[in-house]
Amino acid sequence: MIYGDKLQINPITSSFADGLRISRTVQNTGSSSINLGCSRTAVTGGIAGQWTIVSPYSTYTNNPLGLIIAPTIQVGDNTIGLQISPDCSKLTFNGSKVLIGNGTNQQILLGDGTAKPIIYATRTDFITTPQKFVKLCTFNPLLQSNCISVEFQVRGRSGFGLLQFHQITSTAGLTNCNYHFQPNYQYCMQQAYALYFGTGEARTCELWVQLQVWINSVEIDYTNSGTVTAPISNILTTLPVDALPTDYTSMITLTPNLQLDNLTINNAPFTQNGLLKINPTSSDYTEGIRIARSSNGNCSGIYFGCNLNSTSGTMEGQWNIVNTPDGQLQIGVN
């Protein structure tokens, strides 16, 4: 109905298709639009301050058959206004995505409109007894000077644990590694292992964790990686087993540390107020302070009264307790 200078539509059914209906200029392929603030004297074109709500024709460059809400004179600029793709899977505002179709609650929408996964892979298990071992992933050979990095989190009723593993590679294949291992607060994941198979260019590595008895529900998440991902395979695809493989060539038991093998967070000391205290948790005589032989001189030692500003060498009055390369224990003073 038209009342003076007003047009009112009174639908008579409850259908969502009732109301103001504007067809396309060509069935299925043409455009359809509403213009607000248009010229009072012209029936085409646009003026300053005019807004358009339009579904462009099928061959239009900018969002064909989608929906655009923008100033009329800028409808052709895909960096201006609000746009919805024809399949409603993408919503952009001023050129930036604000919605990604088929997105999940495990994705972060970044400022440039792309999405980044929060979790790349996950598995959930229920562990009672006996203890189980789970393979996290496999590092396949990479014959170049590079590195492969992964991060896993293990969540259970005793908090969460973290394993960051950094595999170094060269033209000869997999070489050294660094890692940061933080066990769960109690139970759950307390041990982790790097198992190496083969040698030279064919050498591979498998990461494993031990899940203790009666941890019940546990979730392992693959949460991050470096930029080199092609050599990583078998990510959380293996069911828990009762024992580690035995056909490996070598094994590294990953012990808890603050950051990496030889670094601490912000280079913080291992001591508090100048003191280091160790509380062993078993009656095994091998518990306490353990010092391996050096990879260079094959020695192992404890030094009392050493130089405050040096990490090597001797000084007058320094006492030494040394396990020599031939297995002798020597105690002496400089």
Side-chain angles (χ1 to χ4, degrees), residues 248-270:
Y248 54 82
T249 306
S250 61
M251 177 177 73
I252 300 176
T253 300
L254 308 182
T255 55
N257 55 9
L258 292 180
Q259 187 169 1
L260 294 175
D261 300 351
N262 57 347
L263 299 175
T264 59
I265 297 175
N266 296 327
N267 294 317
F270 284 103

Side-chain angles (χ1 to χ4, degrees), residues 262-319:
N262 57 347
L263 299 175
T264 59
I265 297 175
N266 296 327
N267 294 317
F270 284 103
T271 59
Q272 294 183 356
N273 299 322
L275 301 175
L276 172 63
K277 183 178 181 180
I278 298 175
N279 295 322
T281 58
S282 75
S283 59
D284 191 336
Y285 68 89
T286 62
E287 296 279 335
I289 297 177
R290 295 169 55 88
I291 304 175
R293 293 185 181 276
S294 69
S295 58
N296 187 11
N298 203 30
C299 294
S300 179
I302 299 176
Y303 307 93
F304 299 92
C306 56
N307 191 327
L308 179 65
N309 300 310
S310 176
T311 58
S312 62
T314 61
M315 61 181 296
E316 184 178 355
Q318 176 179 311
W319 280 85

